[in-house]
Amino acid sequence: MPCAVSRRGERVTSGRRATPARGGRVAARLAAAGVPQTLVVRDPARAPHHAGAAVVRAGFGDRRALAEALTGADRVLMVSASESEDRLDQHRSFVDAAVAAGAGHIVYTSFLGAAPDATFTLARDHWVTERYIRDSGLAYTFLRDGLYADFMPGLVGEDGVISGPAGEGAASVVAQDDIADAAVAVLLDAPAHDGAVYDLTGPRALTLAEIAAELSEVTGRRVTYRPETPTEAYRSRESSGAPRWQLDAWVSTYTAIAAGELAGVSDAVPRLTGHPATPLAEVLRRAAA
């Protein structure tokens, strides 16, 4: 969802969906701060209702509609598109529309460890998108989010087991609320963050065995971690009927953990937000409340 506004009254524009995850959290915080914004969404019926927020229909692939929506946008939050085979094309279309619209600063939600040779396949796509934004001439800030702490319960199978080829590697999982707080801090003072790249992580890196233990303690359900080999991981997921690129993404999430590429711990969340990064246990407790 696209939305453009600043503390001085300029309009902020957020791109992609204004759903509760990511974009929606940012929209709610900007509205609470009295910042006017434009929410660029595919389905206006699903957009949140906030004072001072206009809603515009535009999909990632609709460059003309996007350019109209982004015209005059001082600051643009570009929330990465849903995982798909043509995701990079969608991202390029959005950036091209922002350039055509004469938009100002673009804040892009990227991924921790984005690099051309990242083990996690989708992190490579984020690196290509970052490069495209850099080359566009737009002012930019990249927020490289770690794995979402909020999504950890979704790793658990019906048998109460987290299975994957993560070995004894660890991941510094981050709360989505912390990401939203950091994004708002950047949007409200964008010039101070021009060209910055922030790794947004939780307060410590956890192995999947430790994550399973925290899930057990908070939920009261016994959760365990069972390591798989990459071959076993592909075999156990092939029955889903997912395309090969999706299987690669799923499996490489775990192999990136095994490779130590998602274990870094940054102080960006406390520096940007003024509060400590939220531990996984607290995220789980809030969700259960």
Side-chain angles (χ1 to χ4, degrees), residues 119-245:
T119 298
F120 179 39
T121 55
L122 299 184
R124 303 171 199 168
D125 291 349
H126 283 291
W127 182 85
V128 172
T129 301
E130 288 184 353
R131 185 70 175 266
Y132 198 77
I133 293 171
R134 290 178 192 269
D135 292 344
S136 74
L138 293 167
Y140 66 85
T141 304
F142 300 143
L143 304 179
R144 291 181 171 176
D145 308 343
L147 292 176
Y148 297 151
D150 315 59
F151 287 5
M152 292 303 100
L155 300 181
V156 185
E158 293 182 2
D159 57 358
V161 177
I162 299 175
S163 300
E168 296 182 359
S172 52
V173 297
V174 60
Q176 291 190 93
D177 280 334
D178 287 353
I179 294 170
D181 289 344
V184 169
V186 170
L187 287 166
L188 292 181
D189 193 18
H193 304 283
D194 186 12
V197 179
Y198 295 112
D199 291 343
L200 302 184
T201 74
R204 58 185 285 252
L206 302 168
T207 66
L208 291 192
E210 290 173 324
I211 289 172
E214 296 214 5
L215 284 165
S216 297
E217 181 175 349
V218 174
T219 67
R221 176 191 183 192
R222 184 172 183 271
V223 178
T224 59
Y225 166 56
R226 182 178 65 229
E228 292 179 309
T229 66
T231 299
E232 290 171 336
Y234 274 101
R235 187 180 301 124
S236 66
R237 291 159 175 79
E238 285 172 348
S239 61
S240 68
R244 180 69 189 198
W245 70 265

